[in-house]
Amino acid sequence: MEKSNGNVQKKKSKFSVPHVYVILFSLIIIAAISTYIFPSGEYERMIDDAGRTIVVADTYKETESSPAGFWSIFQAVHKGMVNSAGIIFYIFIVGGSFGILQATGAIEAAVGSISKTMKGREILIIPILMTFFALSGAMLGLAEETIPYITILVPLMLLIGYDSMVGAAIVLVGTSAGFTAAFMNPFTIGVAQGIAELPLFSGLYLRVIFFVIFLAISIWYVMRYANKIRKDPTKSVLFNEVSTEDFVVPDKLLTLTTRHKMIFMILLGTLIMLAYGVINFGWYLSEISGLFLLMGILIGLTGKMNFSEVSESFIKGCSTLVMGALVVGVANAILVILQEGQIMDSILYGFSSIIGEMPAGFAAFGMYIVQCLLNYIIPSGSGQAALTMPIMAPLSDLVGVTRQTAVLAFQFGDGISNIFTPTSGYFMAALALAKISWVKWVKWILPLIIIHYTLGAIFVTIAHYIGFS
């Protein structure tokens, strides 16, 4: 789901990356100081035919200064939480519902069934499972929830004749490819499009095409490595470092039961209803939250859970998202300071003056680069959307980039580094489970990361030139 900067045990060092809340609160202070430095100003705004509030170009004017006071810094956090309440509780409800799905064991059983079915055709396990995890990321926003499957797949891959890298990559690269090139991720696309005042999950068809390309190249990269080391084990990045003796090999893999299949039918029905409701009835956060809550209850009851167990699983699902959900409110506090200090539009004016002199294609590419860099600092998809989209959406209006393209730039910029940067807590925890050092992983995956960044740039550029809307 929402990727988070989870707690990972590390050796003590002289420098450690500050917690995301520390970074965001520092930005709140910097924003407050900026209200004393930058001039106040505002644009005129209007409502377009689609009902969106848009900034009117060439209407910027300076206004009377109203810098933020000391007390405003601390009040801004609460105001940010209130402003973002709809998104925060949407994340909690959807996350809690997926917590119920997780508790039924249906996903674990699906992985086990696929693995058993492919016996004798082991190479096919890689594309099938990577596609499974990619769809989980693209449609359900799963991220850290997939970590437990590393303990199943790593020893399984070692027994087949691959290495720990392949087992970890099936989960991490597969999930990340889906999360990054998602077409219905409720925690990134849903939040970003909501802030940008776009119909939820609009632009689906082009996103599906980008998803297929992105995933296909990711699968090719992992399969190419797997085939190479199976022919010559000495080519493994982890040769003589990790073996089956380092893991507890499961005696028995779970397989899909009739009950599990019924659970997946409920999940499929929910996704179909979601698409139908969004397209035909303009469903937004409340309707989607209600749909997922109903899904969670039905899945729990189908999985023979009583109401108390459903409730506990819902709470557990919510708890995994506490940090990521609240980051949305803390990030919004930065915008509260900028808006109350009346320098938000001044920042927009400055950006548009610089970018406006460039070809619009470079403007879209520039947005993508900014989002890529920010993800190394703010490893929360929803948090990054809450911080950047209120600026990027009106900026895109001013520089001739569609809001849909701005969301796409956020989406790819937010996702690619999740399985590369050490600030991504769930990713570091996954490497620890697979007994792979970060240095070894980086050496192996760096070419793919470069390919992913290149693909992201190409996709954003294509989206801009076709007027993606």
Side-chain angles (χ1 to χ4, degrees), residues 409-451:
F410 150 74
Q411 177 186 338
F412 281 101
D414 165 68
I416 293 171
S417 64
N418 291 339
I419 54 170
F420 180 75
T421 173
T423 59
S424 177
Y426 91 91
F427 155 63
M428 296 301 287
L431 289 188
L433 281 178
K435 303 187 188 309
I436 301 172
S437 73
W438 181 75
V439 173
K440 290 282 188 181
W441 175 266
V442 168
K443 179 182 177 181
W444 176 78
I445 203 172
L446 185 58
L448 181 61
I449 294 294
I450 294 172
I451 293 171

Side-chain angles (χ1 to χ4, degrees), residues 386-420:
L387 175 62
T388 61
M389 289 316 300
I391 297 175
M392 293 299 181
L395 179 61
S396 66
D397 296 335
L398 292 171
V399 299
V401 175
T402 67
R403 292 191 178 191
Q404 202 71 265
T405 301
V407 171
L408 192 72
F410 150 74
Q411 177 186 338
F412 281 101
D414 165 68
I416 293 171
S417 64
N418 291 339
I419 54 170
F420 180 75

Side-chain angles (χ1 to χ4, degrees), residues 14 75 106 131 217 268 270 281 286 352 362 367 386 436 440 467:
K14 293 182 180 179
Q75 288 179 297
T131 301
I217 290 176
L268 178 61
T270 300
F281 302 115
S286 295
S352 63
F362 283 101
M367 289 180 175
I436 301 172
K440 290 282 188 181

Side-chain angles (χ1 to χ4, degrees), residues 6-256:
N7 294 322
V8 182
Q9 291 185 344
K10 300 177 182 177
K11 294 181 180 179
K12 291 185 178 180
S13 59
K14 293 182 180 179
F15 174 80
S16 61
V17 178
H19 193 281
V20 65
Y21 285 169
V22 176
I23 294 172
L24 288 175
F25 196 77
S26 299
L27 292 175
I28 292 172
I29 296 172
I30 292 171
I33 295 172
S34 298
T35 62
Y36 290 88
I37 299 173
F38 296 105
S40 300
E42 64 180 7
Y43 279 101
E44 292 180 10
R45 284 168 168 77
M46 61 175 287
I47 307 297
D48 68 3
D49 295 337
R52 299 177 301 183
T53 303
I54 63 172
V55 173
V56 180
D58 301 323
T59 61
Y60 176 80
K61 61 181 179 181
E62 291 192 7
T63 59
E64 185 178 348
S65 178
S66 55
F70 176 77
W71 189 231
S72 300
I73 294 173
F74 300 95
Q75 288 179 297
V77 174
H78 177 263
K79 291 179 180 179
M81 294 287 183
V82 172
N83 292 346
S84 308
I87 295 173
I88 290 172
F89 287 109
Y90 160 78
I91 291 172
F92 277 135
I93 291 172
V94 175
S97 300
F98 288 145
I100 299 171
L101 171 63
Q102 192 83 16
T104 63
I107 296 178
E108 185 177 348
V111 172
S113 288
I114 292 170
S115 300
K116 283 191 173 183
T117 303
M118 292 298 107
K119 190 173 183 181
R121 295 169 290 170
E122 286 80 4
I123 191 64
L124 295 180
I125 293 178
I126 296 173
I128 291 173
L129 284 180
M130 284 186 69
T131 301
F132 175 81
F133 285 117
L135 289 172
S136 298
M139 302 176 72
L140 308 179
L142 299 188
E144 61 263 44
E145 293 79 9
T146 61
I147 291 177
Y149 303 106
I150 285 179
T151 59
I152 299 172
L153 288 175
V154 167
L156 181 63
M157 292 299 106
L158 288 168
L159 287 171
I160 290 173
Y162 300 126
D163 65 2
S164 183
M165 193 72 76
V166 175
I170 289 174
V171 179
L172 288 174
V173 177
T175 304
S176 176
F179 195 97
T180 301
F183 46 90
M184 287 181 66
N185 187 335
F187 304 106
T188 54
I189 296 174
V191 172
Q193 288 185 328
I195 295 171
E197 298 181 277
L198 293 168
L200 286 191
F201 307 124
S202 53
L204 186 69
Y205 301 116
L206 186 61
R207 283 193 170 85
V208 169
I209 293 171
F210 289 162
F211 165 81
V212 171
I213 297 171
F214 205 84
L215 175 60
I217 290 176
S218 301
I219 290 173
W220 163 80
Y221 188 86
V222 177
M223 289 185 71
R224 175 174 167 271
Y225 173 77
N227 279 323
K228 181 175 71 173
I229 64 169
R230 196 167 190 187
K231 292 176 182 176
D232 183 358
T234 62
K235 296 288 182 66
S236 170
V237 178
L238 303 171
F239 183 63
N240 283 339
E241 290 188 23
V242 183
S243 68
T244 52
E245 297 176 359
D246 298 313
F247 299 91
V248 176
V249 180
D251 296 326
K252 183 180 180 182
L253 291 176
L254 291 179
T255 54
L256 284 171

